[in-house]
Amino acid sequence: MSENEMTFEQAMTRLEEIVRAMERGDAPLDETLALFEEGTKLTKLCSDALERATQRVTILTKQDDGHVVEQKFGGADGTN
């Protein structure tokens, strides 16, 4: 399965495997570099997924009159 076909959870699981393998320190240099490269790609995939999720987050705010209003996370000017 390529990085582009992975879910966020699958990518995080693979990243954890890569970290454990690199922490052991017993892999040859070429393999360590390949793991590092794969980890970098997976980190970007996860970061992009989190960014997309953040953009979809909806904040519910309760107004003074008791009504609930939906407001997209990050106002038009990028604040919130």
Side-chain angles (χ1 to χ4, degrees), residues 7-67:
T7 66
F8 175 82
E9 291 77 11
Q10 290 169 327
M12 287 297 296
T13 298
R14 180 61 184 144
L15 272 170
E16 290 168 356
E17 293 169 358
I18 289 169
V19 168
R20 282 193 298 274
M22 291 181 74
E23 285 178 340
R24 281 194 307 270
D26 57 0
L29 179 60
D30 288 344
E31 184 179 333
T32 300
L33 288 172
L35 288 169
F36 181 79
E37 182 178 359
E38 181 183 359
T40 301
K41 289 176 183 177
L42 290 169
T43 299
K44 177 156 178 27
L45 183 143
C46 290
S47 177
D48 290 349
L50 288 172
E51 179 64 28
R52 285 189 305 275
T54 299
Q55 291 172 359
R56 293 177 53 196
V57 170
T58 301
I59 298 174
L60 296 175
T61 55
K62 190 172 186 177
Q63 305 227 331
D64 292 337
D65 62 3
H67 289 91

